[in-house]
């Protein structure tokens, strides 16, 4: 007979302050100290179970055992995710809303995203040629804003680009600090107001959005009750179709750091044998931090690995720590793209954008576009551009969420090589296999 055991307890009465102070270290550090992939603590006064690793991810993404309603803290919804967003839905409601997002992600549209992204990068590189120094993170954030809005069918004037980029950046940069959450929430108010007007104008026929774009799809999407989405929720979901692309900017600059710190990868990327650009991209997503963790609530009582999970208990899955769990990854603290060469694939061991199934679960709807944009940027930057990386602080602070290289990654002496961006786009068109 299986004997139930208590979940190991982390030190401290309430660990909210420790979480804010330790950031990405918070869960992995306690898992290590307690020698357990599961432990219990209190966050904002609430009993919270934290888990990490492949097996924990598998149970966490089981829709029969976990739900999302009421799991995300209110400030996070106001700043990062939006109220009424797909992230917090369950059951049939989630399934139908998720289908809306996945209908945007056809192979043609994923290809479109790549082409827009590379076209924008190609223009930027020409501007960089005349500059003494370029702060890559700032440039990538603007590039992702431009790409996301164009792809989503969201019109913008050239003189708005700084404002829209800043709003999008402030929302994505919000989690992990009370001050930044407040700033993100103000940015979201303005951002949603803009998108709500757009939705109304599309519905009235005043703005003509092509039928394949998220702008059109969200504006005309109907809920299970047959009604159009409430305009506030429609604005939130239209934002969710392109705002998260901003996170890709962080992974791209981390990838440039990897290229600098592991110079042998440059040549391998150029040759791209055995789909190296795919392996490199996956390793960037595994090794470097972006999303620290996800929260869910227990749907009904169950027992897992002799631990009792009670209905409505808050459970947090350590995404960052799962990507570096030694049971699934050999020498997880080393940056080694080749580890993906013979990787068997697992929807639960590699979870930079959530785990499980894209269609039936909460796994990120933008994972394919993220991978595609990253790959095409790494290839473009190694094949079409030469640049220097002057002395600077490329370290990143794991106590900040999200985190980025401290210097923002400064490059100089930028020169465009002769090959055109079109060559890359054509070459890549034949290599669009995404492994998860
Ligand atoms: C580096 C880029 C990105 C990162 C790190 C990221 C991360 C994540 C994470 C951690 C989740 C939550 C998984 C869960 O709930 O368990 C998620 C969900 C989601 N992401 Fe992304 N994402 C990225 C890019 C994108 C892009 C480009 C899009 C859209 C074009 C997108 C759209 C979504 C949507 C709609 C969901 C909600 C899915 C659901 O609840 O069913 N993401 N993402």
């Amino acid at each position: 007979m299986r004997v139930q055991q208590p979940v190991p307890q982390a030190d401290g009465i309430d660990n909210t302050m420790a979480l804010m102070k330790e950031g990405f270290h918070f869960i992995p550090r306690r898992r290590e100290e307690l020698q357990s992939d599961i432990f219990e603590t209190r966050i904002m006064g609430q009993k919270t179970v934290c888990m990490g690793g492949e097996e924990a991810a598998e149970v966490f993404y089981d829709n029969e055992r976990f739900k999302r309603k009421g799991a995300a803290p209110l400030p996070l919804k106001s700043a990062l995710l939006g109220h009424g967003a797909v992230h917090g839905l369950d059951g049939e409601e989630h399934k139908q809303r998720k289908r809306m997002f996945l209908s945007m992600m056809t192979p043609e549209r994923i290809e479109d995203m790549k082409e827009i992204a590379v076209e924008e990068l190609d223009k930027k590189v020409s501007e960089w040629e005349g500059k003494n120094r370029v702060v890559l993170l700032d440039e990538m954030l603007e590039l992702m804003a431009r790409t996301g809005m164009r792809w989503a069918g969201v019109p913008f004037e050239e003189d708005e680009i700084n404002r829209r980029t800043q709003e999008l950046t402030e929302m994505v940069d919000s989690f992990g600090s009370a001050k930044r959450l407040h700033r993100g929430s103000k940015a979201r108010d303005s951002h949603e107001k803009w998108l709500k007007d757009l939705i109304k104008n599309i519905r009235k026929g005043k703005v003509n959005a092509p039928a394949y774009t998220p702008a059109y799809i969200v504006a005309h999407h109907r809920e299970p009750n047959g009604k159009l989405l409430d305009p506030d929720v429609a604005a939130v979901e239209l934002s969710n179709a392109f705002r998260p692309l901003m996170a890709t900017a962080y992974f791209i600059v981390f990838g440039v750091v990897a290229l600098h710190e592991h110079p042998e990868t440059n040549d391998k990327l150029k040759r791209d044998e055995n789909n190296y650009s795919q392996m490199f991209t996956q390793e960037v997503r595994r090794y470097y931090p972006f999303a620290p963790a996800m929260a869910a609530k227990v749907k009904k009582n169950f027992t897992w690995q002799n631990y009792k999970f009670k209905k409505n208990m808050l459970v947090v899955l350590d995404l960052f720590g799962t990507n570096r769990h030694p049971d699934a990854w050999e020498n997880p603290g080393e940056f080694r793209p080749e580890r993906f060469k013979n990787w068997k694939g697992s929807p639960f061991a590699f979870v930079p954008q959530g785990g499980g199934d894209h269609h039936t679960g909460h796994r990120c709807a933008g994972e394919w576009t993220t991978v595609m944009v990253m790959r095409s940027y790494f290839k473009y930057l190694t094949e079409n551009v030469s640049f220097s990386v002057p002395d600077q602080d490329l370290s990143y602070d794991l106590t900040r969420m999200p985190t980025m290289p401290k210097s923002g990654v400064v490059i100089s002496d930028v020169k465009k090589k002769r090959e055109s961006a079109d060559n890359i786009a054509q070459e890549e068109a034949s290599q669009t296999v995404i492994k998860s």
Side-chain angles (χ1 to χ4, degrees), residues 61 68 87 94 98 241 244 247-248 251 294 353 361-362 364 366 370:
Y61 282 104
R68 294 301 174 96
H87 304 77
H94 174 258
K98 189 63 174 282
T248 309
F251 277 151
M294 282 310 300
Q353 294 174 234
H362 283 274
C364 176
T370 301

Side-chain angles (χ1 to χ4, degrees), residues 154-415:
V154 172
F156 60 97
E157 299 293 335
E158 195 50 38
D159 62 6
E160 281 183 274
I161 189 68
N162 289 345
R163 175 178 174 193
R164 298 304 171 203
T165 302
Q166 191 175 341
E167 282 170 1
L168 289 161
T169 304
E170 286 177 357
M171 287 186 279
V172 172
D173 188 46
S174 64
F175 61 95
S177 122
K179 197 169 147 199
R180 284 186 281 115
L181 276 167
H182 179 66
R183 201 180 59 176
S185 151
K186 277 176 55 186
R188 173 167 284 281
D189 288 347
S190 153
H191 174 77
E192 281 182 13
K193 187 176 171 304
W194 170 57
L195 293 182
K196 194 169 146 182
D197 286 345
L198 175 64
I199 295 281
K200 286 183 181 165
N201 284 329
I202 293 173
R203 285 178 180 167
K204 282 186 204 151
K206 286 187 182 167
V207 171
N208 187 12
Y212 51 80
T213 58
Y216 181 95
I217 293 170
V218 174
H220 295 291
H221 178 77
R222 289 188 184 271
E223 293 272 69
N225 63 11
K227 291 192 176 149
L228 289 172
L229 283 172
D230 174 274
D232 288 310
V233 176
V236 165
E237 296 298 41
L238 177 52
S239 169
N240 276 330
F242 69 96
R243 185 254 316 142
L245 188 63
M246 301 299 278
T248 309
Y250 293 73
F251 277 151
I252 293 169
V253 297
F254 275 129
V256 173
V257 172
L259 279 167
H260 178 65
E261 290 179 350
H262 307 274
E264 74 285 358
T265 56
N266 284 266
D267 210 38
K268 291 182 185 176
L269 263 169
K270 268 187 231 162
R271 282 189 277 123
D272 206 10
E273 280 165 16
N274 300 317
N275 228 353
Y276 186 81
S277 56
Q278 175 79 11
M279 295 191 270
F280 182 86
T281 298
Q282 298 297 59
E283 183 66 345
V284 169
R285 296 197 308 136
R286 184 198 71 81
Y287 180 83
Y288 290 103
F290 187 79
M294 282 310 300
K297 281 194 162 181
V298 175
K299 196 167 165 183
K300 56 182 182 212
N301 293 351
F302 68 89
T303 302
W304 176 75
Q305 294 198 349
N306 300 345
Y307 298 117
K308 196 167 178 188
F309 286 75
K310 284 198 191 137
K311 191 176 170 179
N312 287 330
M313 188 186 250
L314 185 65
V315 177
V316 172
L317 178 72
D318 179 5
L319 298 179
F320 175 65
T322 300
N323 291 336
R324 288 174 170 230
H325 198 295
D327 286 355
W329 304 100
E330 204 183 307
N331 298 324
E334 282 175 19
F335 183 84
R336 204 151 30 91
E338 278 83 358
R339 69 172 77 243
F340 280 95
K341 194 165 176 181
N342 296 315
W343 187 57
K344 301 225 168 19
S346 157
F348 303 110
F350 179 49
V351 289
Q353 294 174 234
D357 184 77
H358 292 96
H359 296 264
T360 56
H362 283 274
R363 189 175 185 135
C364 176
E367 194 159 17
W368 304 297
T369 48
T370 301
V371 171
M372 185 65 108
V373 170
M374 286 173 67
R375 272 184 66 184
S376 61
Y377 270 41
F378 296 141
K379 277 180 71 62
Y380 184 101
L381 291 172
T382 47
E383 288 180 4
N384 288 28
V385 196
S386 69
F387 56 86
S388 313
V389 180
D391 270 356
Q392 59 192 289
D393 188 356
L394 291 173
S395 69
Y396 49 95
D397 177 3
L398 281 172
T399 67
R400 191 194 195 277
M401 299 185 293
T403 188
M404 65 285 283
K406 283 187 186 140
S407 62
V409 186
V410 176
I411 59 168
S412 57
D413 309 318
V414 178
K415 288 200 180 54

